[in-house]
Amino acid sequence: MRHQFRNSIKRYFFYLGGDQPQVPWIERIRSVAGAFIGLMLVLTTAKFLGELSGLDEWLMASLGASALLVFALPGSPMAQPWAVIAGNTVSALIGIATIHLVGEPLLAMPLAASLSILGMFILRCLHPPAAAVALIVVLGHVMHFRYAFFPVMVDSLLLVLAGAVYSNLTGKRYPNRPN
């Protein structure tokens, strides 16, 4: 009976994060500090550039999710510069085009997200937070294609640069290099 109980606990623990790898505390702290420093640099720079150009939009809302990939999982193919920059940018462009073509948000949202996934597949730049960019564009009724370049592309580029500097200074290789 006791053995069965222990096996049941083990089996169900899987659904409560039991499949997540153990990460040493030093790596957790390195990732968290990097995300904080990187996001502060990106947001400060983007806000300055937005004020300089007279634009209200300077922040891409899914930047936190992109930061998780860049700083906590720098070896992931979905955290590489092309995936982050192109994935976010193409998703914003697709979201904006969708809101122009489909006026009904209930249809435009899933269409924008699914087409952005297709676009990322075609361009070989899968980046999960980018699908959210397409949704954010539709939800925010963003109609200007400029938004895909600033803040989306610029924020993504700044995040990748911050990630590269931080990761390499702290002993993590980023971006991946061909062997």
Side-chain angles (χ1 to χ4, degrees):
M1 180 72 158
R2 189 176 222 189
H3 183 66
Q4 269 183 322
F5 179 73
R6 205 172 316 160
N7 282 343
S8 293
I9 294 292
K10 253 186 189 177
R11 187 169 16 135
Y12 292 113
F13 180 69
F14 173 85
Y15 296 107
L16 299 174
D19 62 335
Q20 295 289 309
Q22 290 295 323
V23 178
W25 274 100
I26 191 74
E27 181 58 24
R28 293 176 189 187
I29 293 167
R30 190 201 70 74
S31 298
V32 170
F36 177 79
I37 292 167
L39 286 169
M40 282 299 296
L41 288 170
V42 170
L43 296 176
T44 302
T45 304
K47 183 156 177 46
F48 173 75
L49 292 173
E51 288 173 357
L52 197 63
S53 59
L55 298 173
D56 289 333
E57 306 97 6
W58 53 270
L59 171 64
M60 174 179 68
S62 64
L63 203 59
S66 292
L68 181 142
L69 287 168
V70 170
F71 291 97
L73 301 168
S76 168
M78 295 178 186
Q80 298 312 301
W82 175 250
V84 176
I85 298 165
N88 283 329
T89 304
V90 76
S91 293
L93 288 168
I94 289 170
I96 295 165
T98 303
I99 197 70
H100 277 283
L101 297 172
V102 180
E104 173 55 46
L106 199 55
L107 178 59
M109 285 188 293
L111 189 60
S114 58
L115 288 176
S116 75
I117 294 167
L118 176 62
M120 288 185 283
F121 267 125
I122 291 168
L123 294 176
R124 298 177 53 104
C125 59
L126 284 174
H127 182 65
V133 171
L135 287 173
I136 291 164
V137 164
V138 173
L139 282 170
H141 301 286
V142 176
M143 301 298 280
H144 301 285
F145 284 95
R146 170 199 47 77
Y147 182 84
F149 302 102
F150 182 77
V152 174
M153 187 176 75
V154 171
D155 284 359
S156 300
L157 181 62
L158 291 170
L159 185 70
V160 164
L161 290 173
V165 170
Y166 182 80
S167 290
N168 287 293
L169 286 175
T170 59
K172 286 285 183 188
R173 195 172 196 184
Y174 180 81
N176 285 345
R177 294 166 185 91
N179 294 328

